[in-house]
Structure formats: C-alpha cells, structure tokens
C-alpha cells in the first residue's frame, strides 16, 4: 500500500483481526477490547494507531480503497503491455461495483454501520472516505483518458462523483430491497458507466 501505516505488519494484523471479529459479531458488537484480546497486542499498540473503533473502521474502508487502487493500476499496466481490449481494463472497476452488492462484504458492513452513527467524529471519517474515494476515482478516469480508453471530453471529477453515487446507492439498495426484483444488479450499473465512459 502506498500509505506507510498500511505497510506496517502490526497495523495489518490489527486490520485483519478486526475484520474477522466484525464478520463474527457485527460492527456494533465489536469492541476495541475484543480486538486487543484477539490480536494479542497491547492497548497502547492499538491506541498508537486509532482513538476509537469507528476510526479503525474508517481506516479499514480506506485500506479497501487502497487495495482496489493497486489492483486497478496493476490491471491497467498489464493491459497496456498486452494491448488488451479497452473493456478488459475496467475489470477492477466491475469488481468494485460487484462487491457493493454483497451484503457480507466487510466494506459494506462497516459503511452501513458508520452511516448509522450520529456524531461529528464519524461524519468526519465518512467525509474523509468520500473525498479519498472520489480522488481515487478521478485518478482512474484521468488514467483512462491518458491511455485513450475514456474520452477526454468526460469531466473526471463529475464522473467520479457519479461513480460514488452509484456505489453508495448500491450499498443502500442492498439493505432496502425486500425482493430480488427490487435489487439493482451491479452489472447493470457497470454497463451504464462503461457506456458513458467509452
């Protein structure tokens, strides 16, 4: 990962331990005490990185965006070298939207939990994640434009915001859809975006 905190093995251990506990107990029931006990790290080691579980959850979301960004760069680099069809270069973006449809995706669980919190610290965490995601999406679109995959006439910032709107909408739809026919397929959203971008 590009951010040095994510390169730290101790911090990676905290993240993976937290993810395990969330999948077992859910976000609301997961505590920093659980994370300290399961990870085998001291309280000081945890608090060296974060002040609260909500902040830790926010860092997990950022780490997921970083992972997706690395996959995207790797895919773009490989497809340019192999001169793959343009559509293939969007495979990572497709995966991103498909993960938003999975109610057990750790990112979805954390995102919905954080949305349910009503305090200024969490609002700041969500604002930071939104900005970071939008910057990442803008970068992806600009890369596509530089490589002739996306028309230069597309406004990268506005398109990244549209992608975020679809992404957030998919997460909420996943929770609210009571019947299969109510749920929007990630592939449908992806097709619309690809059509717009190419």
């Amino acid at each position: 990962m590009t951010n040095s905190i994510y390169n730290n093995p101790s911090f990676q251990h905290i993240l993976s331990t937290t993810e395990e506990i969330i999948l077992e107990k859910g976000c609301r029931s997961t505590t920093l005490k659980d994370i300290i006990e399961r990870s085998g790290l001291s309280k000081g080691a945890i608090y060296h990185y974060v002040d609260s579980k909500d902040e830790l959850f926010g860092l997990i979301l950022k780490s997921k965006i970083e992972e997706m960004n690395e996959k995207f760069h790797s895919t773009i680099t490989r497809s340019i070298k192999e001169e793959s069809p343009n559509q293939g270069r969007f495979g990572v973006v497709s995966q991103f939207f498909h993960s938003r449809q999975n109610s057990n995706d750790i990112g979805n669980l954390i995102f919905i939990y954080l949305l349910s919190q009503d305090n200024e610290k969490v609002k700041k965490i969500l604002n930071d994640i939104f900005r970071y995601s939008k910057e990442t999406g803008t970068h992806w679109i600009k890369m596509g434009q530089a490589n002739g995959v996306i028309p230069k006439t597309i406004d990268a910032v506005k398109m990244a915001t549209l992608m975020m709107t679809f992404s957030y909408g998919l997460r909420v739809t996943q929770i609210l859809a009571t019947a299969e026919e109510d749920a929007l397929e990630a592939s449908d959203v992806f097709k619309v975006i690809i059509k717009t971008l190419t």
Side-chain angles (χ1 to χ4, degrees), residues 6 17 21 23 36 44 59 65 96 154 163 174 179 190:
Y6 294 113
T17 301
I21 298 170
L23 289 173
I36 291 165
L59 290 174
I65 297 164
F96 174 80
I154 299 275
M163 287 172 66
Q174 181 64 32
F190 184 64

Side-chain angles (χ1 to χ4, degrees), residues 48-123:
H48 171 75
Y49 296 107
V50 295
D51 294 328
S52 68
K53 81 172 187 179
D54 291 343
E55 185 181 356
L56 178 57
F57 289 178
L59 290 174
I60 290 173
L61 284 183
K62 278 190 174 179
S63 77
K64 298 300 176 195
I65 297 164
E66 277 290 318
E67 285 174 20
M68 193 64 65
N69 193 34
E70 286 182 5
K71 285 181 187 176
F72 179 82
H73 281 275
S74 171
T75 302
I76 286 286
T77 303
R78 189 173 53 251
S79 69
I80 288 169
K81 285 180 184 173
E82 296 170 3
E83 297 184 11
S84 298
N86 290 345
Q87 189 88 350
R89 297 180 187 180
F90 290 100
V92 174
V93 181
S94 176
Q95 290 171 18
F96 174 80
F97 282 104
H98 281 289
S99 73
R100 296 309 178 257
Q101 200 175 13
N102 179 357
S103 58
N104 292 321
D105 176 77
I106 196 77
N108 288 346
L109 295 172
I110 291 172
F111 179 75
I112 297 303
Y113 165 77
L114 290 176
L115 274 183
S116 72
Q117 303 304 300
D118 186 23
N119 69 62
E120 288 304 310
K121 278 189 176 181
V122 172
K123 188 175 180 181

Side-chain angles (χ1 to χ4, degrees), residues 94 97-98 101 170 184-194:
S94 176
F97 282 104
H98 281 289
Q101 200 175 13
L170 280 172
L184 186 63
E185 291 289 324
S187 57
D188 295 331
V189 173
F190 184 64
K191 284 175 194 168
V192 169
I193 289 174
I194 288 298

Side-chain angles (χ1 to χ4, degrees), residues 5 20 37 42 50 61 65 98 125 132 151 157:
I5 189 173
E20 286 172 14
E37 288 175 0
S42 70
V50 295
L61 284 183
I65 297 164
H98 281 289
I125 290 167
Y132 185 71
V157 175

